[in-house]
Amino acid sequence: MKAKAYWRAAVAALILLPAGWAGARQTEAQVEPPSAQPGTVPGVDPGAGPTAEPIPEMVVTSREQFGKTSYATLAEALKVLDHMENASGHHLRLVFKVELGKDKSGPLPIQLWAVYNGKEEAIESTPDGYFYVPYRPDWEAADAKLVSNQAKGALRATVMLEVLPTEGQPVAYAELRQGAKVLDRAIEEFVGPVMGFFVPSIDQLDFICEPRDHCRVNAALTTGEALEADDKGRPILEFGRKMDRRNPALSLAATGEDGAPTRLYARPELHIF
């Protein structure tokens, strides 16, 4: 692979969440000491009730919009993937890898909700911190807001694809290529307003699995050619005119240390020449 200077989408897709923290002030109930009565032991009041305990401090988080775009705008990308899934039998889902930023803290687990028409629905997540945002016509019509339980500037998010191929059935290169274009659109909406400048197009996908250190991705072209790998041994699919013309199929699978299937993701790479 040619030497390139590149940004990982994990860096480019930094999202600052404008949520605020409100702390409730801790208070204590004051108890007046009773007057000493004849015949009592000094310092001991047999008639006094139990000492009032301090009210514990309560931390409340507000729920503000996740990212810099509306759900109605994001829905344009989600509809494309929804159509692809129903038409092809394969599954490419748009997901956000959401984590606390370096040296940041906040309530765990990280949570996201869709808020619309006076109600809210939880966004599906995995134990590894991936959030699947579905296409919902009712959310689009109401321009739902995606909100989080974290403070402003606490989170970073990476826009990725989850790949759920039918067992034993290869995935067409063209489908992954189209999925990358959908990611381009989603990243432009979520990252462009934050970074303030043009975000280059995706020209390759890196395949990863979870949990990272305890799983393995197996990926190859059905023609028998192996995919190039990065320095950690993770397969890379590079896009280009030659591959576009060939449109090969890919055999993709991810397994854990015990041999059981695990989640498989396609992480976008953005290159600057």
Side-chain angles (χ1 to χ4, degrees), residues 83-149:
H83 174 74
M84 288 170 61
E85 176 178 335
N86 292 331
S88 69
H90 299 305
H91 299 272
L92 289 179
R93 305 201 303 182
L94 187 71
V95 294
F96 290 89
K97 172 68 171 176
V98 183
E99 305 167 285
L100 284 168
K102 186 178 181 181
D103 301 324
K104 301 295 184 179
S105 61
L108 296 176
I110 296 170
Q111 294 174 286
L112 298 179
W113 296 268
V115 178
Y116 66 104
N117 293 339
K119 54 186 177 182
E120 65 181 30
E121 293 186 37
I123 303 295
E124 177 187 342
S125 66
T126 71
D128 300 301
Y130 290 85
F131 286 82
Y132 164 57
V133 181
Y135 171 63
R136 289 273 299 270
D138 53 337
W139 292 6
E140 181 182 20
D143 194 11
K145 306 304 178 188
L146 304 183
V147 298
S148 170
N149 64 336

Side-chain angles (χ1 to χ4, degrees), residues 15-20 61-75 96 98 111-116 123 139 142-155 157 189-190 193-194:
I15 297 175
L16 303 181
L17 301 185
T61 61
S62 63
R63 298 181 181 182
E64 301 295 340
Q65 188 168 347
F66 173 78
K68 296 293 184 178
T69 189
S70 68
Y71 179 84
T73 302
L74 180 63
F96 290 89
V98 183
Q111 294 174 286
L112 298 179
W113 296 268
V115 178
Y116 66 104
I123 303 295
W139 292 6
D143 194 11
K145 306 304 178 188
L146 304 183
V147 298
S148 170
N149 64 336
Q150 302 299 319
K152 180 180 179 180
L155 292 183
E189 295 295 339
F190 270 78
V194 178

Side-chain angles (χ1 to χ4, degrees), residues 21-230:
W21 292 83
R25 185 175 59 186
Q26 183 174 353
T27 60
E28 294 187 7
Q30 302 296 326
V31 180
E32 292 293 334
S35 302
Q37 299 294 329
T40 61
V41 179
V44 176
D45 180 10
T51 304
E53 293 293 332
I55 299 174
E57 183 176 3
M58 298 176 63
V59 178
V60 181
T61 61
S62 63
R63 298 181 181 182
E64 301 295 340
Q65 188 168 347
F66 173 78
K68 296 293 184 178
T69 189
S70 68
Y71 179 84
T73 302
L74 180 63
E76 292 303 313
L78 295 174
K79 274 191 287 191
V80 176
L81 290 178
D82 189 67
H83 174 74
M84 288 170 61
E85 176 178 335
N86 292 331
S88 69
H90 299 305
H91 299 272
L92 289 179
R93 305 201 303 182
L94 187 71
V95 294
F96 290 89
K97 172 68 171 176
V98 183
E99 305 167 285
L100 284 168
K102 186 178 181 181
D103 301 324
K104 301 295 184 179
S105 61
L108 296 176
I110 296 170
Q111 294 174 286
L112 298 179
W113 296 268
V115 178
Y116 66 104
N117 293 339
K119 54 186 177 182
E120 65 181 30
E121 293 186 37
I123 303 295
E124 177 187 342
S125 66
T126 71
D128 300 301
Y130 290 85
F131 286 82
Y132 164 57
V133 181
Y135 171 63
R136 289 273 299 270
D138 53 337
W139 292 6
E140 181 182 20
D143 194 11
K145 306 304 178 188
L146 304 183
V147 298
S148 170
N149 64 336
Q150 302 299 319
K152 180 180 179 180
L155 292 183
R156 63 178 184 178
T158 309
V159 187
M160 304 171 69
L161 288 172
E162 183 176 8
V163 185
L164 297 170
T166 303
E167 185 177 357
Q169 186 175 357
V171 179
Y173 165 88
E175 184 176 0
L176 292 164
R177 181 63 149 150
Q178 187 175 2
K181 292 179 180 179
V182 175
L183 280 180
D184 270 332
R185 185 184 306 176
I187 291 173
E188 182 179 355
E189 295 295 339
F190 270 78
V191 181
V194 178
M195 303 300 290
F197 54 82
F198 174 73
V199 178
S201 296
I202 298 165
D203 62 0
Q204 75 178 47
L205 294 174
D206 292 3
F207 295 105
I208 61 175
C209 54
E210 295 288 359
R212 298 276 179 96
D213 297 329
H214 303 282
C215 66
R216 177 183 176 84
V217 176
N218 297 302
L221 302 180
T222 53
T223 55
E225 303 167 70
L227 292 180
E228 188 174 349
D230 63 12

